Amino acid sequence: MAPGFWPFFLLVLWTLAAPGRPGSREAGDGGWRRGGLAAEEERCTVERRVGLTYGEFVQHYAFSRPVILQGLTDNSRFRALCSRERLLAAFGDSVVRLSTANTYSYQKVDLPFQEYVEKLLHPQDPTSLGNDTLYFFGDNNFTEWAPLFRHYAPPPFGLLGTAPAYSFGIAGAGSGVPFHWHGPGYSEVIYGRKRWFLYPPEKTPEFHPNKTTLAWLRDTYPALAPSARPLECTVRAGEVLYFPDRWWHATLNLDTSVFISTFLG
């Protein structure tokens, strides 16, 4: 990797997505802030599949490796309802629960959704630790948010003995969840771009549990030998990433991103 890459990487973050910079209103962004991290976005080592059958999914991916699925569902209605304007109109006064973005312990903070969007939904400070970073993902009040979730069409491929559970989130550029693992599931990007880093269960990644994904990308990733690098790819709006059981994964939002996961528990 070229000398000086990472200072440039951070410059890109703060130049294009600095706090106080007006959010883009380009067509298709839903009114959410665009422009953020672009570095190495095109590097992808996760397979993309269009028109995958259930049999192919079970045989090649369900229990063995991640895959990015395209064209399996149409969530255009759900996407329209997730614009900044519509979500604030429908849920601005609703109290949401935020979690800290660290691996092993989670502080919870409750505040109105509008306050989160207007005051906390800004680009990640590269010097912040995970326990200083509040992140809206999961902990959804399903009764209150049911009018939104009923319009979501989840990926059609289930696993025997599991039931789906949704986790909805919105987060700023440069934010993300550091390495962790749990059961299998899907994650769909509704707006923005989300970069994923994945290791199989037998290959524990090198990371500090209280450092952010952005800090890991800056401090640890550049020194990894090619054989020690994770599988990685940027998931874009309308794409769904599937991750198998117990796979380590970390995420990094390249823009302000709206996303929903379907956990198979």
Side-chain angles (χ1 to χ4, degrees):
M1 191 164 295
F5 177 85
W6 293 109
F8 173 74
F9 177 90
L10 297 178
L11 178 63
V12 169
L13 171 63
W14 294 113
T15 299
L16 297 184
R21 182 182 176 90
S24 166
R25 294 296 182 269
E26 296 176 23
D29 71 356
W32 301 103
R33 184 190 302 271
R34 294 183 67 184
L37 303 174
E40 287 214 330
E41 185 208 336
E42 296 306 317
R43 174 178 168 81
C44 183
T45 51
V46 179
E47 190 176 0
R48 279 186 164 94
R49 292 293 306 268
V50 179
L52 190 69
T53 67
Y54 181 68
E56 291 172 322
F57 170 72
V58 171
Q59 182 178 358
H60 299 295
Y61 305 104
F63 308 103
S64 57
R65 56 186 166 134
V67 62
I68 295 172
L69 306 171
Q70 298 176 317
L72 282 182
T73 55
D74 178 7
N75 274 306
S76 54
R77 172 61 177 162
F78 181 77
R79 188 170 191 265
L81 294 172
C82 288
S83 71
R84 188 179 191 275
E85 181 180 4
R86 289 197 179 188
L87 282 183
L88 285 176
F91 302 103
D93 295 331
S94 299
V95 173
V96 295
R97 175 157 291 181
L98 311 180
S99 301
T100 50
N102 51 339
T103 296
Y104 295 132
S105 63
Y106 300 96
Q107 177 188 353
K108 304 291 185 179
V109 175
D110 294 342
L111 80 171
F113 178 65
Q114 184 161 349
E115 183 176 342
Y116 172 68
V117 170
E118 295 181 349
K119 296 182 179 180
L120 296 181
L121 195 61
H122 52 65
Q124 174 73 46
D125 180 349
T127 65
S128 292
L129 294 175
N131 60 358
D132 297 323
T133 304
L134 292 174
Y135 196 86
F136 174 45
F137 178 57
D139 287 316
N140 307 122
N141 183 325
F142 283 89
T143 300
E144 195 168 18
W145 289 73
L148 175 66
F149 294 155
R150 72 179 181 220
H151 294 283
Y152 179 65
F157 301 152
L159 295 176
L160 188 64
T162 68
Y166 295 152
S167 285
F168 180 70
I170 304 173
S175 65
V177 177
F179 281 105
H180 63 288
W181 59 266
H182 44 67
Y186 300 94
S187 182
E188 179 168 355
V189 174
I190 307 302
Y191 287 109
R193 299 167 299 156
K194 181 184 286 287
R195 192 155 188 83
W196 283 73
F197 306 92
L198 305 109
Y199 284 101
E202 68 276 9
K203 196 170 184 179
T204 303
E206 178 186 345
F207 72 101
H208 188 290
N210 198 32
K211 288 190 175 180
T212 63
T213 303
L214 187 60
W216 173 85
L217 189 61
R218 177 193 63 200
D219 300 335
T220 303
Y221 181 95
L224 294 176
S227 61
R229 285 191 173 187
L231 293 179
E232 59 180 297
C233 199
T234 296
V235 181
R236 299 177 179 85
E239 294 185 322
V240 180
L241 181 136
Y242 169 78
F243 50 89
D245 186 29
R246 301 177 68 89
W247 271 65
W248 289 94
H249 53 279
T251 60
L252 180 70
N253 297 295
L254 302 184
D255 305 299
T256 298
S257 297
V258 181
F259 46 92
I260 185 167
S261 291
T262 306
F263 295 115
L264 303 176

